[in-house]
Amino acid sequence: MKIRRKKMKNEKYYMTTAIAYTSGKPHIGNTYEIVLADSIARFKRQQGYDVFFQTGTDEHGQKIELKAEEAGITPKEFVDDVAGEIRRIWDLMNTSYDKFIRTTDEDHEAQVQKIFKKLYDQGDIYKGHYEGMYCTPCESFFTESQLVDGKCPDCGREVTPAKEEAYFFKMSKYADRLIEHINTHPEFIQPVSRKNEMMNNFLLPGLQDLCVSRTSFSWGIPVSFDPKHVTYVWLDALTNYITGIGYDCDGNSTELFNKNWPADLHLIGKDIIRFHTIYWPIFLMALDLPLPKQIFGHPWLLQGDGKMSKSKGNVLYADELVEFFGVDAVRYFVLHEMPFENDGVITWELMVERMNSELANTLGNLVNRTISMSNKYFGGVVTDTGVNEAVDDELKAVVQATRDKVANKMKELRVADSMTEIFTLFKRCNKYIDETMPWALAKEESQKDRLATVLYNLVESICIGTSLLESYMPETAEKIFGQLNAGRRSYDELDRFGLYPSGTKVTEKPEILFARLDIQEVLEKVEAKQAEEAQSKEPESPFIDIEPKAEISYDDFMKMQFQVGEIIACEEVPKSRKLLCSQVKIGSKVRQIVSGIKSDYKPEDMIGKKVMVLVNLKPAKLAGVMSEGMILCAEDEDGKLSLMVPEKDLPAGAEIC
């Protein structure tokens, strides 16, 4: 045991989160990652590891430049504000990071320029031209074959054609080496489903060279030898994992870097797994650096009606939830409700249900009852009189086995399952109260020593459970220790029963750890708060910017003929998921027009509508059905379609001019 302690205390553990993009305030789904990372970091420290935990913000790119322009401030002013808000929320959630890096830090920017130059000098980066489809929110280029229904495969938003001079990284040069590494290191990408996705969708079909610079915007780190180019955001952002701990590509890295690299764990969202498991390892290979030991792509925390999105109006923020439930209740929820591999769901109703059942009842009531009985029957003094029965051994067996069960789950990063083990301990304590019935023992003087032992066993069990809980709910653990007048247990003591000093006095007035909530009251408060916030905000007309097409002349425009049409019949196009076939009356004639609007309109809903039609479009077959024009629609940012209809009731055939 002593050898193991010495080894673990000398063993480093370097872990990182993805750095948060400074496009806006992080929602609870973003915040989940930092809380997840914090629980792992705290548990590793408890085990005796020398942990270095890094997080931070990603602050360059076209999206930031556009948002700053909209806000009427400089990009640096914009990211300073958002980075401050992100750090405020990370601190609010009691996360114990050791380093908060910003990609606008001078030392990071200097190293990125040196890394770019090194890779260029050794022939891994070359100059060329890029032409492809670009997603501004994701800062990513895609080929036509990579698009899903013509949209970004990562976020589902619109992409636009882009062509510009750029520098490229020779990804294919290192692809085979990366494939071999993944195949020989099964722990490298977790969960396994993420590994399979990367191999089958990207690596095995063959990697294209990666664009690593841009010239169409200026908010980024300039390429030192060609300053009209700025470093592509992913080469900039990913390198934070080494620059943040002092990497220098000239060979003058700090002791912190030499001690901690390679990273033991990169903890990231599943939506950016490709950048971390393909681009990042290849960059490291080119720099002749060891690869991180493990990259874990965690699932998403979804609102009840899907992925959180400002356009959907379903975004929840950590500070909002903390206002209602407290920091540790929110930490408990996001950690315990997230499966290992599949997405988790958060709703106000589910939060209240967990608050009442697990936190107020299972844990809070257990601690309160135990302390109250100790005060009532023994003046708060907890004594082990050694009057044991078989039921005590059953309790002790569960309590003493919990540490290793938790450790085994945490080793696999199954954080939710590890918390379940701890709450299984607390539930066993509640069952022990029902089995031993202290209130009945208190009625018989001859059972006084037995009652004392029962209460001692409960306090001791709670102390062990609380020591394990501390990594997940640190403020709650501190409160429980204070009420029990107990010290923290070392990791090596957590499988030993009976270390609580006999004769210790608990607090006279136990604090309610978690108060039960009424769901209707909570929902009413939420609605009132949202209504108040809505009133305080100035009304803002929504808008969407799209990529402008080439200008046309007045003569070109006059070639197009638009008229009002009345839909007199409509049916689905056989074997098509998108198309409806409408019979449209235009003047005295009827035209057949095929439209890709099936996702938003049913055939029966179309009949009788007056619509705007481009009537002199050359006829063409769509899915084998002839189409003789085009019905005009508008599309919102989520891809939802809306028919363009005349404001007044005009006759079929009226000219649109």
Side-chain angles (χ1 to χ4, degrees):
M1 185 67 73
K2 290 182 179 179
I3 294 175
R4 187 184 69 170
R5 273 203 303 268
K6 184 176 180 181
K7 178 185 176 184
M8 290 179 72
K9 285 184 178 179
N10 291 333
E11 193 170 344
K12 67 91 179 174
Y13 192 85
Y14 175 40
M15 64 175 295
T16 73
T17 66
I19 49 177
Y21 198 45
T22 49
S23 57
K25 181 179 178 178
H27 57 60
I28 189 62
N30 307 133
T31 309
Y32 159 69
E33 183 177 296
I34 189 74
V35 176
L36 177 67
D38 180 66
S39 68
I40 296 169
R42 287 177 182 272
F43 189 77
K44 285 293 182 182
R45 292 189 190 107
Q46 187 178 35
Q47 286 184 307
Y49 286 88
D50 184 4
V51 174
F52 193 87
F53 169 21
Q54 179 169 297
T55 187
T57 44
D58 175 7
E59 303 186 11
H60 293 122
Q62 186 177 27
K63 188 174 180 179
I64 301 296
E65 187 173 86
L66 291 173
K67 282 187 168 288
E69 185 178 336
E70 290 171 9
I73 56 178
T74 67
K76 186 61 166 66
E77 288 172 330
F78 183 88
V79 297
D80 283 349
D81 182 55
V82 178
E85 180 70 357
I86 291 170
R87 190 162 189 169
R88 180 188 72 81
I89 292 175
W90 282 195
D91 291 342
L92 170 69
M93 296 309 298
N94 199 10
T95 58
S96 59
Y97 55 84
D98 297 290
K99 173 70 179 284
F100 190 98
I101 187 173
R102 297 180 59 185
T103 57
T104 53
D105 291 343
E106 289 184 7
D107 53 349
H108 170 78
E109 291 189 341
Q111 282 302 323
V112 169
Q113 288 185 313
K114 289 167 69 174
I115 289 169
F116 196 108
K117 182 69 162 56
K118 177 183 176 72
L119 297 177
Y120 177 78
D121 288 344
Q122 67 190 36
D124 287 317
I125 290 178
Y126 65 92
K127 191 184 228 180
H129 283 82
Y130 190 89
E131 185 170 7
M133 306 306 292
Y134 183 70
C135 175
T136 299
C138 292
E139 307 266 2
S140 299
F141 285 102
F142 299 97
T143 62
E144 290 282 357
S145 62
Q146 290 174 321
L147 302 179
V148 177
D149 293 328
K151 296 182 179 179
C152 173
D154 288 341
C155 73
R157 293 184 177 91
E158 294 293 332
V159 293
T160 55
K163 182 178 181 180
E164 61 183 89
E165 181 183 271
Y167 285 92
F168 293 83
F169 187 97
K170 296 178 181 178
M171 302 296 286
S172 56
K173 176 179 175 181
Y174 297 92
D176 289 343
R177 184 173 157 191
L178 178 57
I179 291 170
E180 180 185 4
H181 182 85
I182 292 171
N183 285 333
T184 55
H185 295 78
E187 76 289 348
F188 180 58
I189 303 175
Q190 289 294 321
V192 174
S193 59
R194 312 275 189 256
K195 181 197 82 169
N196 295 337
E197 179 187 351
M198 294 303 104
M199 291 288 281
N200 297 330
N201 294 354
F202 296 99
L203 282 165
L204 295 179
L207 289 178
Q208 293 187 326
D209 289 348
L210 177 69
C211 174
V212 291
S213 79
R214 301 293 307 278
T215 56
S216 58
F217 61 92
S218 60
W219 179 241
I221 301 173
V223 174
S224 60
F225 55 89
D226 196 349
K228 73 172 181 283
H229 288 257
V230 295
T231 306
Y232 177 56
V233 68
W234 285 108
L235 180 58
D236 165 12
L238 290 165
T239 53
N240 92 89
Y241 303 130
I242 52 177
T243 64
I245 53 173
Y247 171 74
D248 179 77
C249 64
D250 292 336
N252 300 314
S253 298
T254 65
E255 283 302 312
L256 185 65
F257 174 81
N258 294 331
K259 169 187 171 183
N260 282 291
W261 193 258
D264 295 271
L265 175 66
H266 287 320
L267 192 67
I268 55 159
K270 66 177 183 178
D271 52 330
I272 53 173
I273 191 80
R274 172 164 56 96
F275 307 105
H276 285 79
T277 59
I278 297 178
Y279 300 171
W280 179 228
I282 285 178
F283 292 157
L284 290 169
M285 288 175 178
L287 292 171
D288 198 26
L289 290 174
L291 302 194
K293 296 178 183 178
Q294 189 169 74
I295 301 168
F296 180 76
H298 64 75
W300 285 334
L301 181 62
L302 306 177
Q303 244 285 26
D305 55 353
K307 187 180 178 183
M308 291 183 205
S309 162
K310 288 184 179 179
S311 62
K312 290 181 180 179
N314 66 350
V315 177
L316 291 177
Y317 296 103
D319 48 357
E320 279 182 356
L321 294 170
V322 167
E323 188 177 331
F324 282 88
F325 304 105
V327 171
D328 272 11
V330 177
R331 284 178 64 106
Y332 169 83
F333 188 90
V334 299
L335 293 173
H336 188 261
E337 294 303 308
M338 285 294 289
F340 174 70
E341 191 165 351
N342 301 317
D343 294 332
V345 175
I346 183 169
T347 65
W348 290 99
E349 292 85 352
L350 197 52
M351 281 283 296
V352 172
E353 194 278 326
R354 290 291 186 266
M355 181 81 165
N356 291 342
S357 63
E358 298 295 315
L359 299 181
N361 192 28
T362 298
L363 176 57
N365 194 37
L366 168 66
V367 174
N368 190 274
R369 281 205 295 172
T370 300
I371 294 174
S372 295
M373 288 190 293
S374 297
N375 279 307
K376 182 177 180 179
Y377 303 135
F378 296 101
V381 178
V382 180
T383 307
D384 183 8
T385 57
V387 182
N388 297 308
E389 294 183 3
V391 69
D392 301 351
D393 296 332
E394 294 173 17
L395 172 70
K396 292 175 184 178
V398 170
V399 173
Q400 290 176 283
T402 300
R403 183 200 69 177
D404 290 345
K405 289 180 179 179
V406 170
N408 288 334
K409 299 296 184 186
M410 289 296 283
K411 187 176 181 181
E412 298 176 349
L413 302 181
R414 294 183 178 271
V415 176
D417 294 337
S418 70
M419 292 187 76
T420 295
E421 296 292 350
I422 297 170
F423 274 78
T424 296
L425 182 156
F426 293 137
K427 288 175 182 177
R428 186 64 186 83
C429 290
N430 282 311
K431 182 182 177 183
Y432 179 75
I433 292 175
D434 295 336
E435 291 169 333
T436 56
M437 296 188 294
W439 54 89
L441 295 174
K443 293 178 181 179
E444 300 182 39
E445 184 64 26
S446 61
Q447 295 292 331
K448 188 173 182 180
D449 285 349
R450 172 60 187 156
L451 174 59
T453 295
V454 166
L455 292 175
Y456 177 87
N457 289 342
L458 284 169
V459 170
E460 172 68 349
S461 299
I462 293 170
C463 283
I464 292 174
T466 301
S467 295
L468 290 167
L469 186 67
E470 188 173 19
S471 297
Y472 314 90
M473 302 172 67
E475 288 183 359
T476 300
E478 185 175 355
K479 289 178 182 177
I480 296 173
F481 285 137
Q483 293 188 59
L484 296 179
N485 195 17
R488 290 168 178 77
R489 302 284 174 89
S490 72
Y491 181 79
D492 290 325
E493 294 173 332
L494 293 178
D495 60 351
R496 295 166 57 189
F497 199 95
L499 298 182
Y500 185 79
S502 181
T504 301
K505 187 174 182 179
V506 298
T507 184
E508 294 180 2
K509 296 180 180 179
E511 175 189 353
I512 300 297
L513 295 174
F514 300 98
R516 291 181 62 84
L517 299 173
D518 180 87
I519 181 59
Q520 285 307 121
E521 289 182 6
V522 170
L523 292 179
E524 287 171 5
K525 288 179 181 177
V526 170
E527 290 176 6
K529 182 177 175 61
Q530 291 174 343
E532 182 181 342
E533 289 176 351
Q535 287 180 351
S536 65
K537 292 180 180 178
E538 293 183 10
E540 183 178 301
S541 299
F543 62 88
I544 298 175
D545 288 324
I546 64 172
E547 189 74 17
K549 295 182 179 180
E551 290 183 351
I552 63 172
S553 68
Y554 179 77
D555 290 340
D556 290 331
F557 174 73
M558 289 304 293
K559 293 177 183 177
M560 294 184 283
Q561 182 176 342
F562 299 95
Q563 289 178 263
V564 174
E566 181 179 357
I567 299 175
I568 58 176
C570 184
E571 62 183 6
E572 296 182 358
V573 174
K575 299 181 181 179
S576 172
R577 294 181 300 169
K578 297 182 178 181
L579 301 179
L580 295 181
C581 180
S582 301
Q583 304 301 318
V584 187
K585 182 182 177 183
I586 303 171
S588 61
K589 298 180 181 179
V590 175
R591 290 186 179 227
Q592 178 171 281
I593 300 179
V594 177
S595 309
I597 58 176
K598 186 176 175 181
S599 60
D600 296 278
Y601 291 94
K602 297 178 181 178
E604 58 268 26
D605 296 335
M606 296 288 289
I607 298 171
K609 286 187 181 295
K610 297 283 184 69
V611 294
M612 299 183 183
V613 182
L614 175 61
V615 297
N616 63 333
L617 186 66
K618 185 177 179 179
K621 279 191 174 182
L622 300 176
V625 179
M626 184 61 70
S627 181
E628 303 171 302
M630 178 184 291
I631 296 173
L632 302 185
C633 294
E635 182 181 34
D636 69 13
E637 61 182 355
D638 293 320
K640 298 292 184 183
L641 299 175
S642 177
L643 292 168
M644 301 300 293
V645 298
E647 180 185 3
K648 297 180 180 179
D649 186 16
L650 297 173
E655 184 178 9
I656 300 170
C657 54

